[in-house]
Amino acid sequence: MIHDIFMPALSSTMTEGKIVSWVKSPGEKVSKGETVVVVESDKADMDVESFHDGYLAVILVDAGGTATVGSPIALVAQTEAEISQAQSSSVAAVTPAPVAPTPPPATVTTPVPVAPPRPNGRLIASPRAKKLAKDLGVDLATLQGTGPHGRIVAADLEKSSPKVVPTPVTTTAKVVAPLNPGDVTPLTTLQKAVVQNMMVSLQVPTFHVSYTITTDALDSLYQKLKSKGVTMTALLAKAVALTLPKHPLLYATYTEQGIQYRTGINVAIAVAMPDGGLITPVLQNADQVDIYSLSRNWKGLVERARAKQLQPEEYNSGTFTLSNLGMFGVSSFDAILPPGQGAILAIAAASPQVVATEEGTIALRRQMTVNITCDHRVIYGAHAAAFLQDLATLIETDTQSLTL
């Protein structure tokens, strides 16, 4: 019997996926639950397992190619005798080779060392680590993984072989030519997903409310805590998370049946990806996590996001989003509402301002402007204003609550 391996839907917004690499080659035996291929979804690189025991007979979509969700990308034969049958029956279905140059034969035929399997047969190494191991000629079985659940990550190889650098002869990495005026570069899978989300957002009636917050107390707290690994991003996320329980509409969402209230305060924070696009890692239950753990969690999320190793629940479970461009010195900006959420807060840079105090004197204060974008089907202006007022009160007069 011959079985198809289909392009899976790895997220609710995914319509097509890109093949990052094939872990198995045609003719190799595969076991049910074993990783066969690594697929780039709209947010991350994910291992795809075989649902059947047998032999990888035919690869229909080569590494670098794309396929729509639900379409076949390979065939698995139940027995060795059926491999030729699968190959002959799939001639018309084979996808043309990708645009990227074909690797030298030696690179294709050289066996790739793999890490010891887990009980279910999956390899405990990230896709990037596997590729790097192949380029460097490192046996993954000799390494101790430092990633989640002992997973071997790229950093483990870099530590084990600090002086080894892949040469242009053995590497298959693409060389990106300088861009010239008029050049058109195709969108990445992540960039396409961002475009789709933004088009959905344009159908939502939104409004914006701005508020100026004095940050002297927050800046002072940050200076005391940054040596302990606390980041300003974590402090802002914590401040928002502690304010939201008083304003349940701000992290609710609109449905055709009515307003859906959320049980968890999961703060998503926008992160720009190095190769283009945007992803929003989520700090789960941020109101219940202490600031030190929150900062550590955020650091880990960003590292995994940029290595494209986030799990779906780590980027699609947000109930309120922050977009912080303060590090770029911007004075004010509006953020576009993410699909499925009621509000997003745009945070600009804090800068010294001359202000009139309540005592009638002139003083120098550091202030920042925050702009909130809201779904008007769920949130009204008074709701947004009350939330911003409470957030400002916390940041200006009650920063110690952020450390409790």
Side-chain angles (χ1 to χ4, degrees):
M1 184 177 293
I2 299 171
H3 304 280
D4 291 315
I5 296 178
F6 297 101
M7 175 62 71
L10 302 175
S11 73
S12 59
T13 58
M14 179 177 170
T15 58
E16 65 176 24
K18 179 179 179 181
I19 305 298
V20 177
S21 63
W22 284 95
V23 178
K24 292 288 186 177
S25 300
E28 283 193 79
K29 186 174 179 60
V30 298
S31 300
K32 182 178 179 180
E34 185 177 10
T35 298
V36 178
V37 61
V38 179
V39 171
E40 178 187 65
S41 72
D42 51 2
K43 303 290 185 182
D45 291 350
M46 305 290 288
D47 295 349
V48 176
E49 304 171 349
S50 172
F51 287 99
H52 306 278
D53 293 325
Y55 298 84
L56 183 62
V58 179
I59 291 176
L60 301 177
V61 182
D62 292 326
T66 60
T68 56
V69 169
S71 64
I73 57 177
L75 301 179
V76 173
Q78 191 170 354
T79 65
E80 285 186 277
E82 292 175 324
I83 293 178
S84 58
Q85 176 187 344
Q87 292 172 341
S88 60
S89 66
S90 64
V91 173
V94 175
T95 301
V99 178
T102 303
T107 303
V108 175
T109 58
T110 301
V112 182
V114 296
R118 293 178 181 172
N120 66 357
R122 293 190 62 187
L123 301 174
I124 51 173
S126 70
R128 185 181 173 196
K130 293 173 187 175
K131 182 180 184 303
L132 193 57
K134 183 176 181 179
D135 291 340
L136 300 178
V138 175
D139 185 354
L140 289 174
T142 65
L143 302 180
Q144 180 66 40
T146 60
H149 308 292
R151 192 183 200 196
I152 296 173
V153 295
D156 298 323
L157 282 99
E158 293 165 357
K159 292 176 184 176
S160 66
S161 305
K163 298 181 180 179
V164 180
V165 179
T167 65
V169 176
T170 58
T171 184
T172 58
K174 293 189 293 184
V175 177
V176 180
L179 295 180
N180 298 311
D183 283 354
V184 176
T185 58
L187 296 177
T188 66
T189 307
L190 179 56
Q191 288 173 318
K192 290 179 182 178
V194 172
V195 170
Q196 292 174 348
N197 285 341
M198 295 305 98
M199 295 305 294
V200 171
S201 296
L202 289 177
Q203 302 174 21
V204 177
T206 60
F207 68 95
H208 308 274
V209 178
S210 298
Y211 206 99
T212 299
I213 301 175
T214 299
T215 64
D216 291 310
L218 183 66
D219 294 333
S220 177
L221 179 63
Y222 172 62
Q223 292 301 321
K224 295 176 182 177
L225 299 181
K226 69 176 182 178
S227 62
K228 300 178 182 179
V230 174
T231 65
M232 179 59 78
T233 296
L235 286 170
L236 290 168
K238 184 69 173 179
V240 166
L242 291 179
T243 307
L244 282 172
K246 305 174 187 177
H247 306 273
L249 278 176
L250 269 293
Y251 59 106
T253 186
Y254 173 83
T255 70
E256 292 295 331
Q257 294 72 39
I259 298 172
Q260 180 181 0
Y261 290 87
R262 309 294 186 88
T263 56
I265 295 178
N266 302 333
V267 180
I269 306 174
V271 173
M273 296 291 279
D275 58 349
L278 192 71
I279 193 168
T280 53
V282 179
L283 289 168
Q284 304 277 350
N285 299 310
D287 57 322
Q288 302 174 24
V289 180
D290 67 85
I291 191 63
Y292 305 102
S293 298
L294 206 65
S295 293
R296 289 193 297 271
N297 293 348
W298 178 241
K299 181 181 179 182
L301 285 168
V302 172
E303 290 175 350
R304 293 200 300 282
R306 289 178 174 161
K308 305 183 74 175
Q309 295 174 355
L310 289 179
Q311 296 300 307
E313 65 273 11
E314 293 180 313
Y315 61 76
N316 65 11
S317 58
T319 55
F320 187 96
T321 298
L322 301 184
S323 181
N324 182 11
L325 293 181
M327 68 288 293
F328 296 105
V330 299
S331 57
S332 177
F333 72 103
D334 289 327
I336 298 177
L337 185 70
Q341 293 186 30
I344 179 173
L345 186 67
I347 301 174
S351 60
Q353 303 290 333
V354 176
V355 299
T357 68
E358 293 183 357
E359 292 76 21
T361 61
I362 300 297
L364 192 65
R365 298 281 187 268
R366 287 182 60 83
Q367 294 184 326
M368 69 178 181
T369 298
V370 296
N371 292 343
I372 193 168
T373 302
C374 300
D375 183 343
H376 214 329
R377 298 171 299 180
V378 179
I379 303 165
Y380 297 154
H383 301 136
F387 166 76
L388 292 177
Q389 187 177 53
D390 285 347
L391 177 64
T393 299
L394 187 153
I395 290 176
E396 293 175 352
T397 66
D398 190 24
T399 54
Q400 287 306 309
S401 64
L402 301 178
T403 64
L404 299 180

